């Protein structure tokens, strides 16, 4: 690695894995995925993939199996049962109603014209004294039958149109095929732009007024939408590997379509067809209602509705009965489609967007262990007389899940002096990011953070008191809610991991910065803008005046992260919480951002809480390091002690896993064998015991508390007194001595005008 | 430095100009397809449209005279050219039933249809954005999920009811039972209420649901976390940061709904005896007055195409990346 930042790369595939038959599993501090690249030959720590990380089923496996069971699965929801009952009623009525009530429906009775509901006529009679209820029931067959016919035409035409481009378009295809397919696509695109009722009216002109014309009209009006759906899905399937394999095998295009493509899109197509049936029913009712569909003396629901509407003043029940029938039948088909879609996991327009909201931070979840020791926050010997910048005691973050509440952060305590820089390191899932969010009071429902103490600049940040109902009673430290909001807005700055997504894509960068002082310091527009430009220049954004007017997507990743930092220093921050601020950036840009943070800290005496998976970066930036494991702090030590005097075996393993310039590149990378504990099954004792070379019976039985260890250090290990030299080396390579200087130098603030490269510690 | 000679920067390099050109080209092609379809509509009809219009008892001589007058005896391509030529001059032909120029019939009735569609769309948008936001707030702030559930379910049911059934229901309740609004016709402001509501209620709930889904997704994003980290007021987070980003998708669906809403006016106008194009097209289809049908179909089609264009332009303004990426 040219830049000796000692960064742990995301991909830890060894340079030559074949030379290392004894390689233990490489462990990236951040990503578990590279585990799959090297076979774990070391059986000391068998590789157990937690359930959370289960690889999804092979995406290219044709998903045809189990279809039947999944379809019936629709019946297990209230929605499915409702749909099934409605559907059954409609089908049964369509079959039996004309057999039973036909005579009654057609019996003209001039003595009972336009009667209201009575015991003889449930919803009354029409102009000729016929029983309306019977007519509505009998009309089921014609209404549903015509809708079925129209849908069948539409689906067939749609399938032909939609698969034609797939059949014809191919790089090897003849130009006529490509030309035709392009025109079909263009035609579909234009046709779907028109509402289907307008298309149906258009076709009704061509096919003529009457039931036959209306069936054809609605069928052809349905076709473009269905063609578009088929086309999109067929194109999606066609790009998959198993289709490519079939093509390579020389199977003809038509055969591929029939044997491989269509079966794989059949389920969503059937679901859509079911829903189209509901729409066709409504369209037919519309056309008949307008007099363009079924003609007298035949009648369907639309026609009954039209006849009823004419009498609505005299006899409203007539129109309403037909209306209710149409809505119920249409709902039967729509709900059936929706229920089946949900059961088989098809995305319909109604369900597709919602799944996006179910993104959860699964990786951060760990299970709580009851009976944790309360951890002292203050050092017992050196009681700090100055007010701490930040005091956190027994911070817990919990999320409700289907399997009960999980607690990814289980009692974190820390105290921070003004201007101090504290790093929090740990693997993915150790709870470090949630700790940062919880300190900033940014945990969102349904998650919740609790702490015995959470004070920033002497103000209690906990909002338990308010959310318990005493909204106006008090909001810690005597500040009202809005005062507290202003205090946090001006004094506490956050820098997040991904600068690409952390800025609002629709607002100009300058405006997003200016917003801070507009909101909290009541600055006028011009003052706020000038401040924003000034801050952008301060974070070394060239041509800040022009850049401020740009949207975030016009910025590079590094510039966006600097703009985020600039946003943090719009007011007068006392604490910057940076959550993996450099992880998403490339190495040279990382260095600039780290330097910027160090400069700001030095110049303004700002405290820095720096969260990272990268122990080396933390070593360069921070005075003190908290090492987190499975939701708890396992060691709290000064940066200087990190390299050679770490007490917790996990800390030592982290440090040892960092490669540098002198690492033997032919040797396998150093790793920590095993994996973090399964968040759903935390062991009774020390969570690190299964991976720890020092683990004893006691470790597996009792969880060690985070205890003071002298020199202002804390460590949670039963064997903290064992000298580092006595610790058996569980690593493949040794830590070279010359790393000492690097870390020691790095722990001080980086001078302003040093070249960026010096940050790496090559001095 | 490079082998490729640098070309002078022309207007065509501006992504906005290219975007505009693309959209204009697409509109022209769509209009051409529409015009051709409207022209062919009459000629693919089974049977003789003139005979159909004049009725089975009409004397042969009259039919022949009419055919000649309408140019039906010319070859198809010549008729097509005539048709295009007449369109350019705004001549849509003469109604077979009333003898009036079709363009006159349309211009007399277009206004009230546009008025109703726009009013209904405005009502749908004005109702749906606050409603969807309210549903989001209810869904996100625990303890009040029942409200969200109720509004969502009610929305699903209401959105299933087609506009003409909604109209029947509204007429029954508010005209027949309560007598608050006239049952039909266009007279005073109160005659607008039921037609506009019938058209707007369904789309309002559909849009509210889209707003809710989109807003919930946006509220999960990193930049909303940033806005919260800035300690903005909740209203600023929702209104200034979340809503503009959620409205992009809402606008797309809204445009589609506006198209469907135009189609819905056909039914609503017939229910409320509204003096618009919807009544005209149904009557002329039933009367086999094909020149009028042709003209009205063209007007509806162009209306839908214009709506799509406006939606595309609005989307491009809201989310410039999508427009530039495409060109």
């Amino acid at each position: 690695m040219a830049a000796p930042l000692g960064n742990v790369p995301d991909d830890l595939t060894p340079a030559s894995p074949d030379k290392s038959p004894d390689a233990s599993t490489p462990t990236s501090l951040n990503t578990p995925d590279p585990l799959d690249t090297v076979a774990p030959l070391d059986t000391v720590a068998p590789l157990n993939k937690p359930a959370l990380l289960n690889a999804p089923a092979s995406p290219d496996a044709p998903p045809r199996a189990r279809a039947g069971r999944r379809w019936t699965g629709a019946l297990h929801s209230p929605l499915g049962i409702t749909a099934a009952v409605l559907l059954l009623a409609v089908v049964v009525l369509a079959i039996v109603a004309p057999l039973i009530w036909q005579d009654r429906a057609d019996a003209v009775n001039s003595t009972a014209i336009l009667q209201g509901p009575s015991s003889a006529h449930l919803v009354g009679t029409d102009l000729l004294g016929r029983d309306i209820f019977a007519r509505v029931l009998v009309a089921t067959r014609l209404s549903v039958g015509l809708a079925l016919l129209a849908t069948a035409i539409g689906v067939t035409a749609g399938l032909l149109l939609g698969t034609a481009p797939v059949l014809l378009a191919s790089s090897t295809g003849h130009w006529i095929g490509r030309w035709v397919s392009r025109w079909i696509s263009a035609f579909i695109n234009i046709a779907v732009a028109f509402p289907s009722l307008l298309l149906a009216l258009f076709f009704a002109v061509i096919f003529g007024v009457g039931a036959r014309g209306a069936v054809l009209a609605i069928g052809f009006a349905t076709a473009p939408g269905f063609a578009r759906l088929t086309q999109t899905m067929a194109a999606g399937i066609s790009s998959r590997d198993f289709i490519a394999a079939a093509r390579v095998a020389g199977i003809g295009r038509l055969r591929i379509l029939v044997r491989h493509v269509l079966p794989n899109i059949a389920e969503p197509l059937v679901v859509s067809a079911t829903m189209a049936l509901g729409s066709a029913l409504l369209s037919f009712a519309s056309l008949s209602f307008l007099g363009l569909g079924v003609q007298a003396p035949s009648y369907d629901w639309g026609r009954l509705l039209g006849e009823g509407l004419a009498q609505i003043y005299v006899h409203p029940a007539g129109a309403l009965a037909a209306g209710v029938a149409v809505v119920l039948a249409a709902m039967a088909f729509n709900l059936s489609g929706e229920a089946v879609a949900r059961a088989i996991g098809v995305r319909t327009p109604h369900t597709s967007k919602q799944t996006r909201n179910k993104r959860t931070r699964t990786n951060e979840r760990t299970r709580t262990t009851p009976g944790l020791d309360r951890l002292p926050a203050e050092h017992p010997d050196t009681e700090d007389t100055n007010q701490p910048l930040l005091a956190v005691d027994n911070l817990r973050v919990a999320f409700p899940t289907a399997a009960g509440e999980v607690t990814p952060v289980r009692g974190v305590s820390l105290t921070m002096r003004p201007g101090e820089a504290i790093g929090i390191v740990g693997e993915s899932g150790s709870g470090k990011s949630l700790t940062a969010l919880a300190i900033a009071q940014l945990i969102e429902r349904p998650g919740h953070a609790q702490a015995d103490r959470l004070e920033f600049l002497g103000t209690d940040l906990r909002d338990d008191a308010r959310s318990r109902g005493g909204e106006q009673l008090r909001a810690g430290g005597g500040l009202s809610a809005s005062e507290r909001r202003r205090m946090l807005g001006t004094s506490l700055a956050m820098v997040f991991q991904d600068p690409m997504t952390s800025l609002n894509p629709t607002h100009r960068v300058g405006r997003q910065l200016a917003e801070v002082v507009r909101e909290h310091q009541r600055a006028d527009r011009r003052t706020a803008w000038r401040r924003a430009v000034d801050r952008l220049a301060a974070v070394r954004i060239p041509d800040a005046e022009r850049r401020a007017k740009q949207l975030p997507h016009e910025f590079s990743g590094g510039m966006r992260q600097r703009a985020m930092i600039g946003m943090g220093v719009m007011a007068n921050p006392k604490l910057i919480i940076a959550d993996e601020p450099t992880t998403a950036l490339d190495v040279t840009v990382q260095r600039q951002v780290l330097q910027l943070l160090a400069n700001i800290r030095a110049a303004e005496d700002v405290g820095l809480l720096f969260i990272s998976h990268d122990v080396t970066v933390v070593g360069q930036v921070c005075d003190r390091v908290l090492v987190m494991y499975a939701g708890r702090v396992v060691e709290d030590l000064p940066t200087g002690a990190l390299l050679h005097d770490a007490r917790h075996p996990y800390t030592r393993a982290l440090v040892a896993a960092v490669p540098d310039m002198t690492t033997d590149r032919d040797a396998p990378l150093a790793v920590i064998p095993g994996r973090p504990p399964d968040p759903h099954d935390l062991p009774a004792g020390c969570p690190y015991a299964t991976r720890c070379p020092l683990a004893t019976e006691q470790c597996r039985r009792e969880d060690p508390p985070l205890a003071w260890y002298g020199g202002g250090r804390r460590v949670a290990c039963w064997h903290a007194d064992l000298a580092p030299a006595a610790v058996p080396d569980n690593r493949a390579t040794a830590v070279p001595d010359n790393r000492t200087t690097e870390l020691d130098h790095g722990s001080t603030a980086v001078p302003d005008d040093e070249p960026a490269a010096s940050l790496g510690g090559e001095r | 430095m490079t082998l490729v000679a640098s070309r002078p920067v022309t207007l065509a390099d501006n992504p906005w100009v290219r975007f505009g050109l693309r959209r204009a080209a697409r509109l022209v092609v769509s209009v051409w397809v529409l015009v051709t379809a409207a022209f062919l509509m009459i000629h693919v009809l089974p049977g003789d449209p003139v005979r159909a219009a004049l009725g089975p008892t009409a004397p042969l001589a009259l039919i022949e005279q009419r055919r000649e007058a309408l140019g039906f005896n010319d070859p198809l391509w010549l008729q097509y050219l005539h048709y295009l030529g007449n369109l350019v001059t705004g001549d849509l032909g003469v109604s077979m039933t009333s003898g009036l120029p079709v363009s006159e019939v349309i211009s007399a009735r277009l206004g009230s249809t546009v008025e109703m569609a726009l009013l209904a769309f405005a009502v749908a948008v004005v109702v749906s954005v606050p409603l969807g936001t309210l549903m989001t707030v209810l869904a996100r702030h625990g303890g009040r999920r029942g409200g969200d559930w109720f509004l969502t379910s009610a929305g699903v049911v209401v959105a299933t009811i087609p506009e003409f059934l909604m109209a029947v229901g509204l007429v029954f309740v508010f005209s027949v039972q309560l007598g608050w609004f006239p049952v039909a016709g266009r007279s005073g402001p109160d005659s607008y209420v039921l037609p506009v509501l019938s058209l707007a209620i369904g789309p309002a709930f559909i849009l509210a649901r889209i707003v809710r889904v989109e807003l919930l997704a946006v509220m999960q994003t990193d930049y909303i976390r940033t806005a919260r980290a800035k300690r903005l007021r909740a209203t600023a987070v929702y209104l200034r940061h979340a809503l503009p980003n959620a409205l992009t998708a809402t606008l797309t669906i809204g445009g589609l709904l506006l198209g469907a809403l135009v189609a819905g006016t056909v039914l609503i106008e017939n229910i409320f005896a509204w003096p618009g194009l919807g009544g005209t097209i149904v009557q002329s289809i039933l009367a086999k007055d094909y020149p009028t049908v042709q003209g009205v179909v063209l007007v509806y089609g162009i209306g839908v195409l214009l709506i799509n264009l406006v939606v595309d332009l609005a989307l491009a303004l809201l989310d410039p990346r999508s427009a530039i990426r495409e060109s």
Side-chain angles (χ1 to χ4, degrees), chain A residues 440 444 501-502 512 515 520, chain B residues 140 222 226 230-231 240:
Chain A
E444 281 201 278
T501 57
S502 291
Q512 299 192 46
E515 198 176 20
H520 297 298
Chain B
R140 282 178 57 82
D222 290 350
T226 304
K230 281 197 261 183
R231 315 290 160 177
R240 206 183 299 154

mmCIF file with all atom_site columns, all heavy atoms in Angstrom, chain A residues 440 444 501-502 512 515 520, chain B residues 140 222 226 230-231 240:
data_model
loop_
_atom_site.group_PDB
_atom_site.id
_atom_site.type_symbol
_atom_site.label_atom_id
_atom_site.label_alt_id
_atom_site.label_comp_id
_atom_site.label_asym_id
_atom_site.label_entity_id
_atom_site.label_seq_id
_atom_site.pdbx_PDB_ins_code
_atom_site.Cartn_x
_atom_site.Cartn_y
_atom_site.Cartn_z
_atom_site.occupancy
_atom_site.B_iso_or_equiv
_atom_site.pdbx_formal_charge
_atom_site.auth_seq_id
_atom_site.auth_comp_id
_atom_site.auth_asym_id
_atom_site.auth_atom_id
_atom_site.pdbx_PDB_model_num
ATOM 1   N N   . ALA A 1 440 ? -26.522 11.869 20.508 1.00 0.00 ? 440 ALA A N   1
ATOM 2   C CA  . ALA A 1 440 ? -27.077 13.054 19.844 1.00 0.00 ? 440 ALA A CA  1
ATOM 3   C C   . ALA A 1 440 ? -28.597 13.090 19.901 1.00 0.00 ? 440 ALA A C   1
ATOM 4   O O   . ALA A 1 440 ? -29.212 13.973 19.329 1.00 0.00 ? 440 ALA A O   1
ATOM 5   C CB  . ALA A 1 440 ? -26.609 13.089 18.394 1.00 0.00 ? 440 ALA A CB  1
ATOM 6   N N   . GLU A 1 444 ? -34.459 6.973  16.306 1.00 0.00 ? 444 GLU A N   1
ATOM 7   C CA  . GLU A 1 444 ? -35.856 7.144  15.898 1.00 0.00 ? 444 GLU A CA  1
ATOM 8   C C   . GLU A 1 444 ? -36.708 5.974  16.339 1.00 0.00 ? 444 GLU A C   1
ATOM 9   O O   . GLU A 1 444 ? -36.214 4.858  16.495 1.00 0.00 ? 444 GLU A O   1
ATOM 10  C CB  . GLU A 1 444 ? -35.926 7.257  14.380 1.00 0.00 ? 444 GLU A CB  1
ATOM 11  C CG  . GLU A 1 444 ? -35.538 8.629  13.899 1.00 0.00 ? 444 GLU A CG  1
ATOM 12  C CD  . GLU A 1 444 ? -36.085 8.855  12.516 1.00 0.00 ? 444 GLU A CD  1
ATOM 13  O OE1 . GLU A 1 444 ? -35.457 8.411  11.553 1.00 0.00 ? 444 GLU A OE1 1
ATOM 14  O OE2 . GLU A 1 444 ? -37.154 9.469  12.419 1.00 0.00 ? 444 GLU A OE2 1
ATOM 15  N N   . THR A 1 501 ? -25.263 10.656 0.412  1.00 0.00 ? 501 THR A N   1
ATOM 16  C CA  . THR A 1 501 ? -26.693 10.659 0.694  1.00 0.00 ? 501 THR A CA  1
ATOM 17  C C   . THR A 1 501 ? -27.081 11.572 1.850  1.00 0.00 ? 501 THR A C   1
ATOM 18  O O   . THR A 1 501 ? -28.254 11.700 2.162  1.00 0.00 ? 501 THR A O   1
ATOM 19  C CB  . THR A 1 501 ? -27.176 9.230  1.036  1.00 0.00 ? 501 THR A CB  1
ATOM 20  O OG1 . THR A 1 501 ? -26.406 8.750  2.132  1.00 0.00 ? 501 THR A OG1 1
ATOM 21  C CG2 . THR A 1 501 ? -27.012 8.302  -0.138 1.00 0.00 ? 501 THR A CG2 1
ATOM 22  N N   . SER A 1 502 ? -26.099 12.182 2.479  1.00 0.00 ? 502 SER A N   1
ATOM 23  C CA  . SER A 1 502 ? -26.416 12.935 3.693  1.00 0.00 ? 502 SER A CA  1
ATOM 24  C C   . SER A 1 502 ? -26.818 14.378 3.428  1.00 0.00 ? 502 SER A C   1
ATOM 25  O O   . SER A 1 502 ? -27.197 15.091 4.346  1.00 0.00 ? 502 SER A O   1
ATOM 26  C CB  . SER A 1 502 ? -25.232 12.909 4.660  1.00 0.00 ? 502 SER A CB  1
ATOM 27  O OG  . SER A 1 502 ? -25.073 11.609 5.165  1.00 0.00 ? 502 SER A OG  1
ATOM 28  N N   . GLN A 1 512 ? -28.353 24.786 2.428  1.00 0.00 ? 512 GLN A N   1
ATOM 29  C CA  . GLN A 1 512 ? -28.399 23.793 3.501  1.00 0.00 ? 512 GLN A CA  1
ATOM 30  C C   . GLN A 1 512 ? -27.514 24.203 4.665  1.00 0.00 ? 512 GLN A C   1
ATOM 31  O O   . GLN A 1 512 ? -27.826 23.916 5.817  1.00 0.00 ? 512 GLN A O   1
ATOM 32  C CB  . GLN A 1 512 ? -27.979 22.413 2.971  1.00 0.00 ? 512 GLN A CB  1
ATOM 33  C CG  . GLN A 1 512 ? -28.907 21.917 1.882  1.00 0.00 ? 512 GLN A CG  1
ATOM 34  C CD  . GLN A 1 512 ? -28.688 20.446 1.552  1.00 0.00 ? 512 GLN A CD  1
ATOM 35  O OE1 . GLN A 1 512 ? -28.580 19.618 2.437  1.00 0.00 ? 512 GLN A OE1 1
ATOM 36  N NE2 . GLN A 1 512 ? -28.629 20.138 0.275  1.00 0.00 ? 512 GLN A NE2 1
ATOM 37  N N   . GLU A 1 515 ? -29.107 27.310 6.478  1.00 0.00 ? 515 GLU A N   1
ATOM 38  C CA  . GLU A 1 515 ? -30.284 26.948 7.250  1.00 0.00 ? 515 GLU A CA  1
ATOM 39  C C   . GLU A 1 515 ? -29.989 26.870 8.752  1.00 0.00 ? 515 GLU A C   1
ATOM 40  O O   . GLU A 1 515 ? -30.835 27.211 9.580  1.00 0.00 ? 515 GLU A O   1
ATOM 41  C CB  . GLU A 1 515 ? -30.789 25.597 6.742  1.00 0.00 ? 515 GLU A CB  1
ATOM 42  C CG  . GLU A 1 515 ? -32.203 25.278 7.109  1.00 0.00 ? 515 GLU A CG  1
ATOM 43  C CD  . GLU A 1 515 ? -32.654 23.964 6.475  1.00 0.00 ? 515 GLU A CD  1
ATOM 44  O OE1 . GLU A 1 515 ? -31.787 23.167 6.102  1.00 0.00 ? 515 GLU A OE1 1
ATOM 45  O OE2 . GLU A 1 515 ? -33.864 23.758 6.386  1.00 0.00 ? 515 GLU A OE2 1
ATOM 46  N N   . HIS A 1 520 ? -31.421 28.831 13.957 1.00 0.00 ? 520 HIS A N   1
ATOM 47  C CA  . HIS A 1 520 ? -31.099 28.931 15.376 1.00 0.00 ? 520 HIS A CA  1
ATOM 48  C C   . HIS A 1 520 ? -30.620 30.310 15.803 1.00 0.00 ? 520 HIS A C   1
ATOM 49  O O   . HIS A 1 520 ? -30.638 30.632 16.978 1.00 0.00 ? 520 HIS A O   1
ATOM 50  C CB  . HIS A 1 520 ? -30.038 27.897 15.738 1.00 0.00 ? 520 HIS A CB  1
ATOM 51  C CG  . HIS A 1 520 ? -30.501 26.488 15.531 1.00 0.00 ? 520 HIS A CG  1
ATOM 52  N ND1 . HIS A 1 520 ? -31.564 25.962 16.218 1.00 0.00 ? 520 HIS A ND1 1
ATOM 53  C CD2 . HIS A 1 520 ? -30.066 25.503 14.717 1.00 0.00 ? 520 HIS A CD2 1
ATOM 54  C CE1 . HIS A 1 520 ? -31.755 24.703 15.837 1.00 0.00 ? 520 HIS A CE1 1
ATOM 55  N NE2 . HIS A 1 520 ? -30.860 24.407 14.920 1.00 0.00 ? 520 HIS A NE2 1
ATOM 56  N N   . ARG B 2 140 ? -45.658 7.652  11.993 1.00 0.00 ? 140 ARG B N   1
ATOM 57  C CA  . ARG B 2 140 ? -44.304 7.701  12.532 1.00 0.00 ? 140 ARG B CA  1
ATOM 58  C C   . ARG B 2 140 ? -44.250 7.971  14.023 1.00 0.00 ? 140 ARG B C   1
ATOM 59  O O   . ARG B 2 140 ? -43.252 7.700  14.661 1.00 0.00 ? 140 ARG B O   1
ATOM 60  C CB  . ARG B 2 140 ? -43.488 8.773  11.810 1.00 0.00 ? 140 ARG B CB  1
ATOM 61  C CG  . ARG B 2 140 ? -43.003 8.333  10.449 1.00 0.00 ? 140 ARG B CG  1
ATOM 62  C CD  . ARG B 2 140 ? -42.258 9.448  9.786  1.00 0.00 ? 140 ARG B CD  1
ATOM 63  N NE  . ARG B 2 140 ? -41.156 9.909  10.601 1.00 0.00 ? 140 ARG B NE  1
ATOM 64  C CZ  . ARG B 2 140 ? -39.971 9.320  10.654 1.00 0.00 ? 140 ARG B CZ  1
ATOM 65  N NH1 . ARG B 2 140 ? -39.758 8.269  9.932  1.00 0.00 ? 140 ARG B NH1 1
ATOM 66  N NH2 . ARG B 2 140 ? -39.020 9.788  11.419 1.00 0.00 ? 140 ARG B NH2 1
ATOM 67  N N   . ASP B 2 222 ? -30.797 9.471  4.695  1.00 0.00 ? 222 ASP B N   1
ATOM 68  C CA  . ASP B 2 222 ? -29.710 10.101 5.447  1.00 0.00 ? 222 ASP B CA  1
ATOM 69  C C   . ASP B 2 222 ? -29.872 11.613 5.528  1.00 0.00 ? 222 ASP B C   1
ATOM 70  O O   . ASP B 2 222 ? -29.526 12.222 6.532  1.00 0.00 ? 222 ASP B O   1
ATOM 71  C CB  . ASP B 2 222 ? -28.368 9.757  4.783  1.00 0.00 ? 222 ASP B CB  1
ATOM 72  C CG  . ASP B 2 222 ? -28.001 8.293  4.965  1.00 0.00 ? 222 ASP B CG  1
ATOM 73  O OD1 . ASP B 2 222 ? -28.689 7.627  5.754  1.00 0.00 ? 222 ASP B OD1 1
ATOM 74  O OD2 . ASP B 2 222 ? -27.037 7.839  4.337  1.00 0.00 ? 222 ASP B OD2 1
ATOM 75  N N   . THR B 2 226 ? -29.750 14.172 8.611  1.00 0.00 ? 226 THR B N   1
ATOM 76  C CA  . THR B 2 226 ? -28.947 15.392 8.684  1.00 0.00 ? 226 THR B CA  1
ATOM 77  C C   . THR B 2 226 ? -29.811 16.572 9.132  1.00 0.00 ? 226 THR B C   1
ATOM 78  O O   . THR B 2 226 ? -29.408 17.356 9.994  1.00 0.00 ? 226 THR B O   1
ATOM 79  C CB  . THR B 2 226 ? -28.317 15.696 7.312  1.00 0.00 ? 226 THR B CB  1
ATOM 80  O OG1 . THR B 2 226 ? -27.569 14.575 6.892  1.00 0.00 ? 226 THR B OG1 1
ATOM 81  C CG2 . THR B 2 226 ? -27.433 16.916 7.388  1.00 0.00 ? 226 THR B CG2 1
ATOM 82  N N   . LYS B 2 230 ? -29.522 18.849 12.478 1.00 0.00 ? 230 LYS B N   1
ATOM 83  C CA  . LYS B 2 230 ? -29.431 20.312 12.531 1.00 0.00 ? 230 LYS B CA  1
ATOM 84  C C   . LYS B 2 230 ? -30.431 20.884 13.517 1.00 0.00 ? 230 LYS B C   1
ATOM 85  O O   . LYS B 2 230 ? -30.486 22.094 13.720 1.00 0.00 ? 230 LYS B O   1
ATOM 86  C CB  . LYS B 2 230 ? -29.717 20.903 11.141 1.00 0.00 ? 230 LYS B CB  1
ATOM 87  C CG  . LYS B 2 230 ? -28.543 20.817 10.188 1.00 0.00 ? 230 LYS B CG  1
ATOM 88  C CD  . LYS B 2 230 ? -28.732 21.766 9.007  1.00 0.00 ? 230 LYS B CD  1
ATOM 89  C CE  . LYS B 2 230 ? -29.253 21.045 7.788  1.00 0.00 ? 230 LYS B CE  1
ATOM 90  N NZ  . LYS B 2 230 ? -29.381 21.927 6.625  1.00 0.00 ? 230 LYS B NZ  1
ATOM 91  N N   . ARG B 2 231 ? -31.234 20.023 14.072 1.00 0.00 ? 231 ARG B N   1
ATOM 92  C CA  . ARG B 2 231 ? -32.262 20.405 15.064 1.00 0.00 ? 231 ARG B CA  1
ATOM 93  C C   . ARG B 2 231 ? -33.242 21.401 14.461 1.00 0.00 ? 231 ARG B C   1
ATOM 94  O O   . ARG B 2 231 ? -33.597 22.407 15.097 1.00 0.00 ? 231 ARG B O   1
ATOM 95  C CB  . ARG B 2 231 ? -31.631 21.010 16.322 1.00 0.00 ? 231 ARG B CB  1
ATOM 96  C CG  . ARG B 2 231 ? -30.438 20.266 16.841 1.00 0.00 ? 231 ARG B CG  1
ATOM 97  C CD  . ARG B 2 231 ? -30.794 18.947 17.422 1.00 0.00 ? 231 ARG B CD  1
ATOM 98  N NE  . ARG B 2 231 ? -29.596 18.098 17.466 1.00 0.00 ? 231 ARG B NE  1
ATOM 99  C CZ  . ARG B 2 231 ? -29.561 16.882 17.982 1.00 0.00 ? 231 ARG B CZ  1
ATOM 100 N NH1 . ARG B 2 231 ? -30.649 16.346 18.478 1.00 0.00 ? 231 ARG B NH1 1
ATOM 101 N NH2 . ARG B 2 231 ? -28.468 16.192 17.969 1.00 0.00 ? 231 ARG B NH2 1
ATOM 102 N N   . ARG B 2 240 ? -39.934 21.415 4.493  1.00 0.00 ? 240 ARG B N   1
ATOM 103 C CA  . ARG B 2 240 ? -38.862 21.955 3.671  1.00 0.00 ? 240 ARG B CA  1
ATOM 104 C C   . ARG B 2 240 ? -37.994 20.845 3.093  1.00 0.00 ? 240 ARG B C   1
ATOM 105 O O   . ARG B 2 240 ? -37.556 20.916 1.955  1.00 0.00 ? 240 ARG B O   1
ATOM 106 C CB  . ARG B 2 240 ? -38.004 22.899 4.530  1.00 0.00 ? 240 ARG B CB  1
ATOM 107 C CG  . ARG B 2 240 ? -37.302 23.956 3.713  1.00 0.00 ? 240 ARG B CG  1
ATOM 108 C CD  . ARG B 2 240 ? -36.421 24.813 4.599  1.00 0.00 ? 240 ARG B CD  1
ATOM 109 N NE  . ARG B 2 240 ? -37.165 25.526 5.631  1.00 0.00 ? 240 ARG B NE  1
ATOM 110 C CZ  . ARG B 2 240 ? -36.624 25.908 6.788  1.00 0.00 ? 240 ARG B CZ  1
ATOM 111 N NH1 . ARG B 2 240 ? -35.354 25.644 7.058  1.00 0.00 ? 240 ARG B NH1 1
ATOM 112 N NH2 . ARG B 2 240 ? -37.332 26.551 7.686  1.00 0.00 ? 240 ARG B NH2 1
#
